[in-house]
Amino acid sequence: MRVRILGIDPGIAIVGFGLIEADRGKTRLLNYGAITTPAGLPLARRLVQIEQDMEALIAQLKPNAIAVEELFFSNNITTGIAVAHGRGIILCTAEKSGVPLYEYTPMQVKQAITGYGKAVKKQIQEMTRIMLHLESVPKPDDTADALGMAIAHCHCSRSRLMGTAPR
């Protein structure tokens, strides 16, 4: 059963996305990139742009599932709040699209990709590169993170890919 999984790394300046196809335990890269918003725009305008771009992206890529990273931030609360606003728009847009939505913590992604829940970002990116047979890690990092999210969904949810409901 072929399933198209859209991984999303939420942000406000950069929203990474990556689309993979999973079929009988094999994964294949279909597309990746980033939605960007100019730094000078007011927050509300950036959120509207993210919503519009996400709607267009979902319509264009036609995923069967969307996997979004749950937020984790420790140092910069101001940045974390802005990212949380962006994530809220992404969740709302995904929900309105009717595509099943799944959420994973950074630790779940690390565990799914490397087998170690405390792996560092470079390890995740390198394993993502290897799993998708890429010559180099996709840039910007947000796109590599989004592809990792899609792969993690594939690995964490084998039974979910067979048609059970999202959480």
Side-chain angles (χ1 to χ4, degrees), residues 46-74:
R46 291 173 103 172
L47 295 174
V48 168
Q49 182 179 337
I50 290 169
E51 178 185 30
Q52 291 170 344
D53 291 352
M54 281 297 303
E55 287 172 347
L57 187 67
I58 292 168
Q60 175 192 352
L61 299 180
K62 297 178 180 27
N64 303 106
I66 298 174
V68 179
E69 185 175 27
E70 289 186 6
L71 286 186
F72 172 80
F73 55 92
S74 57

Side-chain angles (χ1 to χ4, degrees), residues 24 36 52-53 77 80 90-91 114 119-120 127 147 154 157 161 163:
R24 297 185 190 105
T36 59
Q52 291 170 344
D53 291 352
I77 190 102
I90 291 163
L91 293 176
T114 68
V120 297
M127 284 303 297
L147 287 167
C154 180
S157 61
L161 292 177

Side-chain angles (χ1 to χ4, degrees), residues 1-50:
M1 174 182 177
R2 285 189 178 155
V3 179
R4 296 165 64 95
I5 304 164
L6 177 61
I8 301 290
D9 181 38
I12 196 71
I14 301 174
V15 175
F17 70 87
L19 182 71
I20 65 168
E21 182 177 76
D23 187 15
R24 297 185 190 105
K26 295 183 181 182
T27 56
R28 181 171 70 100
L29 174 65
L30 298 179
N31 198 340
Y32 68 90
I35 294 169
T36 59
T37 62
L41 283 182
L43 177 61
R45 182 65 211 139
R46 291 173 103 172
L47 295 174
V48 168
Q49 182 179 337
I50 290 169

